[in-house]
Amino acid sequence: MKSMDKIFRVNMTDLTTKIEEVPAAWAGLGGRALTSTIVAAEVPPTCHALSAQNVLCFAPGLLTGTAAANSGRLSAGAKSPLTGGIKESNAGGTAAQMLAKLGIKALIIEGAPKSGTWYNLAVGINGVTINEEKELLGAGNFAVIDAVEQRLGKKTGVLTIGIAGELKMTAANISVKDPDSKIRSHGRGGLGAVMGSKQIKFISIDGEGAKPVTIADPEKFKTAARAFSKALLDHPVSGEGLPTYGTNVLVNILNEAGGLPTRNFTVGQFEGHDKISGETMHDTIAARGGKVKHGCHAGCIIQCSQVYNDKDGKYVTSGFEYETIWGLGADCCIDNLDDIARADNLMDDIGIDSIETAVMFGVAMEAGILNWGDSKEMLRLLTEEIGKGTALGRILGGGAGSVGRTYGVTRVPVVKNQGIPAYDPRSVKGIGVTYATSTMGADHTSGYTIATNILNVGGYVDPLKKDGQVELSRNLQIATAAVDSTGMCIFVAFPALDIPECLPALIDMINARFGIALTGDDVTNLGKHVLKLERKFNQEAGLTNVHDRLPDFFKTEPVAPHNAVWDFTDAELDEFWNF
């Protein structure tokens, strides 16, 4: 595979930039496969994640920038200051397609300034310019996007950090401008803190001179792209459920299954589930003139995002996801959807992960920092403490583990210090295997067994039984590592598991794009390679199989209504890595 693309490299220690040829070993990689390869090659695993030795890199996927549906994802990678291991986070928005069309295979940022000066990076077809930044320090993400558009034009791509990233809070995000000049997030793992440690407030992307991505076999690509799009639209989850109710369709489904973690994971059902459900959200959005269907990037045909307005019809948030609504809702016993939406907006502006922060608030309520269900105090803590970087705000901004350690809470739902999202692993055992073994810390997207445990996609594995769960999680984690490398949205997995034409069409698009002949086995092997590479980094960083475990309270506290417990042995979990 010959690549016309280039690597753009920035050194923040000596403030130099250069353009490099793509090493032959990287030519066939994109997205997560490439960011994890770069981190493994260039970051000492034992380094402090906020030191100059860490590297922050961005890579569009193999199909990003093409006409392939749902291919607009960007991967960001670094050593995580939250987990201490490797991290890849991917997001929609406008940056991925712009970088791909500019011929940028990866943007690598290394080193750190020796002075207290802050900078912005301006990326264009001819390279990267490093500029001192004074005006926007301390500004929220929405203000940064507005200011950059005024300076550089409405079409400019933006990657930015809010106050959480500036203060190097370990739950900080990197935020990405979306097609409406709102925000998508590289969440989980604290990559915003890594960007803050490089003293970069924002990265602008100028699309001037961008060209359509070269396709080696345009006819074959068109045929495959049509078959792929059809599969996405024909599947009941990606074609009907997600476009209608968004990811929040899952509130009622998980509540019914007893897998909706409530009151900091003490029970599996929430009395107020109807008030925060996808169905209620859909009706509220429709009544207020918002958008019930919306894409997070150009070319998205699933349209699972939405635009949520307040009762006066004014914008509050978009990309209002199940995990955030569950976490602030059921887990914190809040049934006010408007307050949850307002919190989502604040987290976007502050630049903090809305999953980690939601799990954190459950722990904070258990610690007595605020009362169960007190959404007004939650909003105050976001605005006045986290948003202003007070001493308490920095503890809260460190995530669930930080609050648990500081306040002596024993029920802290984390793996590798990262908050467990959205699904109770006692009632949905497959996702528990993913949480325990994922190289990224607790991360539902690493191997989304909810598809097969709950939604009957790709068959059915009983969520309350141990049988088949390790194999299910392993297969899905391998597939996900490969999908994350293509630039595809993870939701293409639903039709890929059920519709026979879907996966071959995806492989055909990659082959047509590059003029190569990958097989299904090659794609599986890529996924395996990525996982093993990430695990090796983690082991060298000091994370062992002992860290591939869920917290003890899942074993000792049965969860209602099924009175389910987490009953996997250490040996059964260690079996995951036998591939």
Side-chain angles (χ1 to χ4, degrees), residues 220-263:
K220 182 179 175 184
F221 188 91
K222 265 188 219 162
T223 304
R226 273 197 297 271
F228 183 71
S229 296
K230 183 176 187 304
L232 295 192
L233 294 174
D234 283 351
H235 195 273
V237 176
S238 55
E240 293 169 38
L242 287 169
T244 308
Y245 300 113
T247 56
N248 202 32
V249 69
L250 290 161
V251 164
N252 283 340
I253 294 171
L254 266 297
N255 192 72
E256 181 76 17
L260 189 73
T262 299
R263 201 180 173 100

Side-chain angles (χ1 to χ4, degrees), residues 262-264 270 327-335 365 372-374:
T262 299
R263 201 180 173 100
N264 191 29
F270 177 46
L328 298 179
D331 200 46
C332 293
C333 303
I334 292 168
D335 62 9
M365 287 173 177
W372 293 105
D374 190 347

Side-chain angles (χ1 to χ4, degrees), residues 268-390:
Q269 291 180 311
F270 177 46
E271 274 185 21
H273 66 95
D274 264 338
K275 293 182 180 174
I276 62 168
S277 69
E279 292 82 348
T280 299
M281 185 177 83
H282 171 278
D283 295 347
T284 305
I285 289 170
R288 294 175 176 180
K291 291 182 184 171
V292 294
K293 285 173 72 171
H294 183 248
C296 74
H297 63 76
C300 170
I301 60 173
I302 295 177
Q303 304 267 310
C304 75
S305 177
Q306 59 300 109
V307 176
Y308 187 97
N309 292 341
D310 65 16
K311 59 185 188 323
D312 299 320
K314 292 200 177 88
Y315 175 88
V316 181
T317 194
S318 47
F320 199 19
E321 305 293 349
Y322 162 68
E323 289 76 17
T324 306
I325 295 166
W326 151 77
L328 298 179
D331 200 46
C332 293
C333 303
I334 292 168
D335 62 9
N336 184 323
L337 200 55
D338 281 339
D339 282 352
I340 296 171
R342 175 75 189 125
D344 196 41
N345 174 283
L346 287 169
M347 289 185 284
D348 277 349
D349 204 36
I350 292 164
I352 200 156
D353 182 24
S354 66
I355 296 178
E356 188 64 45
T357 304
V359 177
M360 176 279 293
F361 274 120
V363 177
M365 287 173 177
E366 182 130 324
I369 298 170
L370 70 168
N371 293 326
W372 293 105
D374 190 347
S375 56
K376 301 301 184 264
E377 177 63 4
M378 176 187 71
L379 293 170
R380 189 198 73 77
L381 289 168
L382 279 167
T383 308
E384 299 298 321
E385 306 289 347
I386 300 174
K388 293 190 174 166
T390 65

Side-chain angles (χ1 to χ4, degrees), residues 67-285:
N70 289 71
S71 61
R73 308 289 293 186
L74 179 66
S75 288
K79 177 175 177 173
S80 165
L82 186 73
T83 69
I86 202 164
K87 186 68 206 167
E88 181 268 354
S89 171
N90 66 69
T94 57
Q97 289 161 333
M98 294 181 80
L99 291 171
K101 289 173 182 175
L102 287 167
I104 300 171
K105 181 89 168 172
L107 170 64
I108 302 174
I109 303 165
E110 59 191 16
K114 294 173 178 142
S115 71
T117 306
W118 279 75
Y119 300 90
N120 72 65
L121 303 183
V123 178
I125 196 162
N126 296 317
V128 184
T129 310
I130 304 171
N131 308 294
E132 190 174 335
E133 181 57 51
K134 292 178 180 169
E135 181 194 331
L136 293 174
L137 289 186
N141 284 320
F142 291 110
V144 171
I145 289 171
D146 286 347
V148 173
E149 287 187 344
Q150 284 173 15
R151 281 186 203 176
L152 303 172
K154 189 85 178 155
K155 292 181 179 176
T156 308
V158 184
L159 298 160
T160 168
I161 56 172
I163 192 71
E166 287 186 43
L167 296 177
K168 300 188 274 291
M169 295 179 185
T170 49
N173 277 344
I174 298 172
S175 300
V176 189
K177 183 178 118 171
D178 79 2
D180 295 336
S181 300
K182 302 302 186 195
I183 285 168
R184 303 289 143 170
S185 304
H186 285 290
R188 320 281 10 231
L191 295 188
V194 179
M195 189 157 146
S197 73
K198 310 291 183 198
Q199 289 165 227
I200 296 166
K201 176 63 177 174
F202 69 86
I203 301 167
S204 64
I205 306 166
D206 177 1
E208 189 69 34
K211 296 187 177 75
V213 167
T214 308
I215 308 288
D217 188 339
E219 278 313 305
K220 182 179 175 184
F221 188 91
K222 265 188 219 162
T223 304
R226 273 197 297 271
F228 183 71
S229 296
K230 183 176 187 304
L232 295 192
L233 294 174
D234 283 351
H235 195 273
V237 176
S238 55
E240 293 169 38
L242 287 169
T244 308
Y245 300 113
T247 56
N248 202 32
V249 69
L250 290 161
V251 164
N252 283 340
I253 294 171
L254 266 297
N255 192 72
E256 181 76 17
L260 189 73
T262 299
R263 201 180 173 100
N264 191 29
F265 286 78
T266 52
V267 292
Q269 291 180 311
F270 177 46
E271 274 185 21
H273 66 95
D274 264 338
K275 293 182 180 174
I276 62 168
S277 69
E279 292 82 348
T280 299
M281 185 177 83
H282 171 278
D283 295 347
T284 305
I285 289 170

